[in-house]
Amino acid sequence: RNQSKTREGLKMNGGLLNFSDDDFINAPKALPVYENTSIKPDMRKSDEVKKKGKIKLNFNSLSEFRIYPDEIANFNPVWLIDDFLMEQSITTIYATGGSGKSFLALVLGVWLLDAQKISRLIYLDGDNGYTTLKRRRVDEILKTYSKIEYYPLFKQNSEGQSIDRYSVLSDLAENLTPNELKGALVIIDSIRDFIKGDLGSDSVVMPYLNSLKAFRDNGATVIFLHHQPKQSKNPDENNEAYKGATAFIDSVDTAYFLSNKTNDQDKSEGKLAVTLKPTKARNGAEHKAFIINGANFKLVQADYYKYALTDKERYTLELALQIIKDNRMGIIQSDLAREIKSLAKAQAVEVLSNNALWEFLKRYDEKEYIIIKGARNSNIYKLIDENANTINPMPYNAVEAYEFKE
């Protein structure tokens, strides 16, 4: 991956977050030619290789599967959503039950269809019944988007047969035709509903995950939803662990821990707000926050670091901003810490300790205030606009959102 991005995949235009056609990682322009690869073997498949099923492999026939520099150089990975979802990858989104995983995944697919980032959405639902689909108004989405293929496992065909939840992934993987899934997004909801046996066993889990790899290698972008073990009722105490075998994380390109951050105002407006923290990022990924408008299924991206605040962080930032506002000439770091603790004690709220405080406050440098160097290399905190009469009044459990548009 070229870390020095000369063109941003996401561009700001009039306050809107825009996707460009440059949402890809630049592949190397050329790779060196090695002496031992100057002559390639005949890549035409033998009759034995063409046949479906396992081939008789030896070191001579193995050469037909060798990869060469130009094949890698000519492959250009594409970000479907910049620094969040890469084309032809496997991503897992996991959270406690009822956090909004399913609705987010479906609306992400809707947005990608609207943006023409994908040509097909295949949704395999082993978790939800008619009641849930009705409550989520999935029927309205399906009426609007004919390219969504929604397959709930409770559905029966004309002969009264149902899909076998434990073999459907392997059956589909074994019967793929070349590039059948190119441009498709495949969503599995949720992976535990397709696995028979101990979710904690790698040997049980791996065959199912290998089927997802077959989808990816055929051209699909795959998202599978997953659950967490039982957590504390206090969301700030969630340990961000996933349920089951290490293979669930080892086998994916990206893993996100999802947290529902919907506040009372969001609920009154029919919105769902979630944050996603990458816990594995093989291809590079960043923290994200999304807000979904339940009335029109529109998706917007929010400032993660404002929306993901814990209670301690929110109180800390609110008090820090209040103190900095009251000290327009600036306040040194040690005095700021002392006043934060004093106000917190008076208001009977918990704030961050000094060990975590300074790293936390650095996040908002040049956003809510500026940190400048003073005498003896001390840090001084000042408002960005010294002529401003007020600071940004937006509560820090709220969100500043930008709509995705082409």
Side-chain angles (χ1 to χ4, degrees), residues 265-286:
Q265 181 179 345
D266 294 325
K267 290 178 182 178
S268 67
E269 296 173 354
K271 295 178 180 178
L272 170 70
V274 296
T275 58
L276 294 110
K277 177 182 178 180
T279 54
K280 179 182 179 181
R282 180 181 290 168
N283 298 320
E286 296 181 358

PDB file of all heavy atoms in Angstrom, residues 265-286:
ATOM      1  N   GLN A 265     -31.814  12.120  21.526  1.00  0.00           N
ATOM      2  CA  GLN A 265     -32.168  12.979  20.400  1.00  0.00           C
ATOM      3  C   GLN A 265     -32.229  12.179  19.104  1.00  0.00           C
ATOM      4  O   GLN A 265     -33.136  12.356  18.293  1.00  0.00           O
ATOM      5  CB  GLN A 265     -31.160  14.125  20.255  1.00  0.00           C
ATOM      6  CG  GLN A 265     -31.492  15.082  19.111  1.00  0.00           C
ATOM      7  CD  GLN A 265     -30.481  16.219  19.000  1.00  0.00           C
ATOM      8  OE1 GLN A 265     -29.704  16.443  19.918  1.00  0.00           O
ATOM      9  NE2 GLN A 265     -30.506  16.918  17.889  1.00  0.00           N
ATOM     10  N   ASP A 266     -31.246  11.269  18.915  1.00  0.00           N
ATOM     11  CA  ASP A 266     -31.261  10.413  17.734  1.00  0.00           C
ATOM     12  C   ASP A 266     -32.539   9.573  17.685  1.00  0.00           C
ATOM     13  O   ASP A 266     -33.182   9.452  16.639  1.00  0.00           O
ATOM     14  CB  ASP A 266     -30.047   9.477  17.734  1.00  0.00           C
ATOM     15  CG  ASP A 266     -28.735  10.216  17.591  1.00  0.00           C
ATOM     16  OD1 ASP A 266     -28.708  11.230  16.883  1.00  0.00           O
ATOM     17  OD2 ASP A 266     -27.745   9.780  18.205  1.00  0.00           O
ATOM     18  N   LYS A 267     -32.887   8.982  18.823  1.00  0.00           N
ATOM     19  CA  LYS A 267     -34.074   8.130  18.878  1.00  0.00           C
ATOM     20  C   LYS A 267     -35.330   8.914  18.516  1.00  0.00           C
ATOM     21  O   LYS A 267     -36.196   8.414  17.791  1.00  0.00           O
ATOM     22  CB  LYS A 267     -34.223   7.526  20.270  1.00  0.00           C
ATOM     23  CG  LYS A 267     -33.172   6.477  20.608  1.00  0.00           C
ATOM     24  CD  LYS A 267     -33.352   5.951  22.033  1.00  0.00           C
ATOM     25  CE  LYS A 267     -32.287   4.939  22.387  1.00  0.00           C
ATOM     26  NZ  LYS A 267     -32.410   4.456  23.792  1.00  0.00           N
ATOM     27  N   SER A 268     -35.430  10.142  19.019  1.00  0.00           N
ATOM     28  CA  SER A 268     -36.614  10.957  18.726  1.00  0.00           C
ATOM     29  C   SER A 268     -36.700  11.301  17.245  1.00  0.00           C
ATOM     30  O   SER A 268     -37.779  11.553  16.721  1.00  0.00           O
ATOM     31  CB  SER A 268     -36.582  12.246  19.557  1.00  0.00           C
ATOM     32  OG  SER A 268     -35.522  13.094  19.148  1.00  0.00           O
ATOM     33  N   GLU A 269     -35.547  11.298  16.564  1.00  0.00           N
ATOM     34  CA  GLU A 269     -35.511  11.607  15.136  1.00  0.00           C
ATOM     35  C   GLU A 269     -35.482  10.345  14.275  1.00  0.00           C
ATOM     36  O   GLU A 269     -35.341  10.428  13.061  1.00  0.00           O
ATOM     37  CB  GLU A 269     -34.285  12.465  14.828  1.00  0.00           C
ATOM     38  CG  GLU A 269     -34.313  13.833  15.512  1.00  0.00           C
ATOM     39  CD  GLU A 269     -33.014  14.592  15.315  1.00  0.00           C
ATOM     40  OE1 GLU A 269     -32.057  14.013  14.745  1.00  0.00           O
ATOM     41  OE2 GLU A 269     -32.957  15.765  15.716  1.00  0.00           O
ATOM     42  N   GLY A 270     -35.615   9.174  14.907  1.00  0.00           N
ATOM     43  CA  GLY A 270     -35.632   7.916  14.169  1.00  0.00           C
ATOM     44  C   GLY A 270     -34.294   7.550  13.553  1.00  0.00           C
ATOM     45  O   GLY A 270     -34.248   6.958  12.466  1.00  0.00           O
ATOM     46  N   LYS A 271     -33.207   7.870  14.248  1.00  0.00           N
ATOM     47  CA  LYS A 271     -31.871   7.613  13.720  1.00  0.00           C
ATOM     48  C   LYS A 271     -31.142   6.556  14.538  1.00  0.00           C
ATOM     49  O   LYS A 271     -31.397   6.401  15.727  1.00  0.00           O
ATOM     50  CB  LYS A 271     -31.048   8.901  13.706  1.00  0.00           C
ATOM     51  CG  LYS A 271     -31.580   9.970  12.758  1.00  0.00           C
ATOM     52  CD  LYS A 271     -30.742  11.228  12.822  1.00  0.00           C
ATOM     53  CE  LYS A 271     -31.283  12.290  11.873  1.00  0.00           C
ATOM     54  NZ  LYS A 271     -30.490  13.551  11.961  1.00  0.00           N
ATOM     55  N   LEU A 272     -30.251   5.844  13.878  1.00  0.00           N
ATOM     56  CA  LEU A 272     -29.349   4.891  14.519  1.00  0.00           C
ATOM     57  C   LEU A 272     -27.940   5.418  14.365  1.00  0.00           C
ATOM     58  O   LEU A 272     -27.515   5.770  13.261  1.00  0.00           O
ATOM     59  CB  LEU A 272     -29.457   3.513  13.858  1.00  0.00           C
ATOM     60  CG  LEU A 272     -28.398   2.477  14.260  1.00  0.00           C
ATOM     61  CD1 LEU A 272     -28.608   2.024  15.701  1.00  0.00           C
ATOM     62  CD2 LEU A 272     -28.422   1.272  13.316  1.00  0.00           C
ATOM     63  N   ALA A 273     -27.199   5.491  15.470  1.00  0.00           N
ATOM     64  CA  ALA A 273     -25.819   5.973  15.445  1.00  0.00           C
ATOM     65  C   ALA A 273     -24.902   4.888  15.984  1.00  0.00           C
ATOM     66  O   ALA A 273     -25.134   4.346  17.064  1.00  0.00           O
ATOM     67  CB  ALA A 273     -25.688   7.245  16.278  1.00  0.00           C
ATOM     68  N   VAL A 274     -23.861   4.571  15.226  1.00  0.00           N
ATOM     69  CA  VAL A 274     -22.930   3.524  15.635  1.00  0.00           C
ATOM     70  C   VAL A 274     -21.497   3.978  15.384  1.00  0.00           C
ATOM     71  O   VAL A 274     -21.234   4.776  14.477  1.00  0.00           O
ATOM     72  CB  VAL A 274     -23.180   2.195  14.886  1.00  0.00           C
ATOM     73  CG1 VAL A 274     -24.543   1.623  15.222  1.00  0.00           C
ATOM     74  CG2 VAL A 274     -23.025   2.373  13.379  1.00  0.00           C
ATOM     75  N   THR A 275     -20.583   3.461  16.186  1.00  0.00           N
ATOM     76  CA  THR A 275     -19.157   3.647  15.936  1.00  0.00           C
ATOM     77  C   THR A 275     -18.548   2.284  15.631  1.00  0.00           C
ATOM     78  O   THR A 275     -19.011   1.254  16.127  1.00  0.00           O
ATOM     79  CB  THR A 275     -18.444   4.270  17.141  1.00  0.00           C
ATOM     80  OG1 THR A 275     -18.631   3.430  18.296  1.00  0.00           O
ATOM     81  CG2 THR A 275     -18.982   5.661  17.427  1.00  0.00           C
ATOM     82  N   LEU A 276     -17.498   2.290  14.808  1.00  0.00           N
ATOM     83  CA  LEU A 276     -16.798   1.057  14.451  1.00  0.00           C
ATOM     84  C   LEU A 276     -15.305   1.251  14.664  1.00  0.00           C
ATOM     85  O   LEU A 276     -14.685   2.124  14.057  1.00  0.00           O
ATOM     86  CB  LEU A 276     -17.087   0.661  13.002  1.00  0.00           C
ATOM     87  CG  LEU A 276     -18.555   0.268  12.775  1.00  0.00           C
ATOM     88  CD1 LEU A 276     -19.253   1.315  11.948  1.00  0.00           C
ATOM     89  CD2 LEU A 276     -18.661  -1.096  12.133  1.00  0.00           C
ATOM     90  N   LYS A 277     -14.766   0.425  15.531  1.00  0.00           N
ATOM     91  CA  LYS A 277     -13.344   0.488  15.873  1.00  0.00           C
ATOM     92  C   LYS A 277     -12.626  -0.712  15.267  1.00  0.00           C
ATOM     93  O   LYS A 277     -12.999  -1.860  15.533  1.00  0.00           O
ATOM     94  CB  LYS A 277     -13.186   0.479  17.396  1.00  0.00           C
ATOM     95  CG  LYS A 277     -11.743   0.467  17.873  1.00  0.00           C
ATOM     96  CD  LYS A 277     -11.690   0.405  19.397  1.00  0.00           C
ATOM     97  CE  LYS A 277     -10.250   0.341  19.897  1.00  0.00           C
ATOM     98  NZ  LYS A 277     -10.195   0.287  21.384  1.00  0.00           N
ATOM     99  N   PRO A 278     -11.621  -0.495  14.421  1.00  0.00           N
ATOM    100  CA  PRO A 278     -10.916  -1.647  13.836  1.00  0.00           C
ATOM    101  C   PRO A 278     -10.083  -2.376  14.891  1.00  0.00           C
ATOM    102  O   PRO A 278      -9.276  -1.756  15.584  1.00  0.00           O
ATOM    103  CB  PRO A 278     -10.025  -1.002  12.764  1.00  0.00           C
ATOM    104  CG  PRO A 278      -9.863   0.418  13.190  1.00  0.00           C
ATOM    105  CD  PRO A 278     -11.110   0.788  13.934  1.00  0.00           C
ATOM    106  N   THR A 279     -10.310  -3.666  15.019  1.00  0.00           N
ATOM    107  CA  THR A 279      -9.504  -4.490  15.925  1.00  0.00           C
ATOM    108  C   THR A 279      -8.533  -5.373  15.142  1.00  0.00           C
ATOM    109  O   THR A 279      -7.672  -6.016  15.727  1.00  0.00           O
ATOM    110  CB  THR A 279     -10.403  -5.371  16.812  1.00  0.00           C
ATOM    111  OG1 THR A 279     -11.290  -6.128  15.982  1.00  0.00           O
ATOM    112  CG2 THR A 279     -11.221  -4.501  17.753  1.00  0.00           C
ATOM    113  N   LYS A 280      -8.704  -5.392  13.819  1.00  0.00           N
ATOM    114  CA  LYS A 280      -7.717  -5.979  12.910  1.00  0.00           C
ATOM    115  C   LYS A 280      -7.827  -5.225  11.599  1.00  0.00           C
ATOM    116  O   LYS A 280      -8.929  -4.985  11.116  1.00  0.00           O
ATOM    117  CB  LYS A 280      -7.961  -7.473  12.679  1.00  0.00           C
ATOM    118  CG  LYS A 280      -6.929  -8.068  11.702  1.00  0.00           C
ATOM    119  CD  LYS A 280      -7.169  -9.529  11.412  1.00  0.00           C
ATOM    120  CE  LYS A 280      -6.127 -10.051  10.423  1.00  0.00           C
ATOM    121  NZ  LYS A 280      -6.347 -11.478  10.093  1.00  0.00           N
ATOM    122  N   ALA A 281      -6.689  -4.868  11.037  1.00  0.00           N
ATOM    123  CA  ALA A 281      -6.708  -4.081   9.804  1.00  0.00           C
ATOM    124  C   ALA A 281      -5.553  -4.512   8.913  1.00  0.00           C
ATOM    125  O   ALA A 281      -4.523  -3.851   8.835  1.00  0.00           O
ATOM    126  CB  ALA A 281      -6.633  -2.593  10.112  1.00  0.00           C
ATOM    127  N   ARG A 282      -5.735  -5.636   8.252  1.00  0.00           N
ATOM    128  CA  ARG A 282      -4.676  -6.172   7.390  1.00  0.00           C
ATOM    129  C   ARG A 282      -4.363  -5.229   6.230  1.00  0.00           C
ATOM    130  O   ARG A 282      -3.214  -5.074   5.819  1.00  0.00           O
ATOM    131  CB  ARG A 282      -5.112  -7.544   6.857  1.00  0.00           C
ATOM    132  CG  ARG A 282      -4.110  -8.217   5.938  1.00  0.00           C
ATOM    133  CD  ARG A 282      -4.658  -9.548   5.445  1.00  0.00           C
ATOM    134  NE  ARG A 282      -4.721 -10.531   6.507  1.00  0.00           N
ATOM    135  CZ  ARG A 282      -5.365 -11.695   6.405  1.00  0.00           C
ATOM    136  NH1 ARG A 282      -6.043 -11.977   5.304  1.00  0.00           N
ATOM    137  NH2 ARG A 282      -5.368 -12.543   7.413  1.00  0.00           N
ATOM    138  N   ASN A 283      -5.404  -4.592   5.688  1.00  0.00           N
ATOM    139  CA  ASN A 283      -5.233  -3.703   4.535  1.00  0.00           C
ATOM    140  C   ASN A 283      -5.252  -2.229   4.922  1.00  0.00           C
ATOM    141  O   ASN A 283      -5.258  -1.362   4.055  1.00  0.00           O
ATOM    142  CB  ASN A 283      -6.332  -3.971   3.497  1.00  0.00           C
ATOM    143  CG  ASN A 283      -6.272  -5.388   2.954  1.00  0.00           C
ATOM    144  OD1 ASN A 283      -5.194  -5.911   2.716  1.00  0.00           O
ATOM    145  ND2 ASN A 283      -7.423  -6.008   2.774  1.00  0.00           N
ATOM    146  N   GLY A 284      -5.260  -1.957   6.213  1.00  0.00           N
ATOM    147  CA  GLY A 284      -5.370  -0.575   6.662  1.00  0.00           C
ATOM    148  C   GLY A 284      -6.830  -0.194   6.807  1.00  0.00           C
ATOM    149  O   GLY A 284      -7.634  -0.394   5.894  1.00  0.00           O
ATOM    150  N   ALA A 285      -7.208   0.312   7.956  1.00  0.00           N
ATOM    151  CA  ALA A 285      -8.591   0.736   8.213  1.00  0.00           C
ATOM    152  C   ALA A 285      -8.568   1.754   9.337  1.00  0.00           C
ATOM    153  O   ALA A 285      -7.643   1.769  10.158  1.00  0.00           O
ATOM    154  CB  ALA A 285      -9.471  -0.458   8.584  1.00  0.00           C
ATOM    155  N   GLU A 286      -9.585   2.588   9.359  1.00  0.00           N
ATOM    156  CA  GLU A 286      -9.652   3.641  10.361  1.00  0.00           C
ATOM    157  C   GLU A 286     -10.946   3.565  11.161  1.00  0.00           C
ATOM    158  O   GLU A 286     -11.905   2.922  10.731  1.00  0.00           O
ATOM    159  CB  GLU A 286      -9.536   5.016   9.685  1.00  0.00           C
ATOM    160  CG  GLU A 286      -8.193   5.239   9.004  1.00  0.00           C
ATOM    161  CD  GLU A 286      -8.094   6.604   8.359  1.00  0.00           C
ATOM    162  OE1 GLU A 286      -9.091   7.373   8.410  1.00  0.00           O
ATOM    163  OE2 GLU A 286      -7.031   6.918   7.789  1.00  0.00           O
TER     164      GLU A 286
END
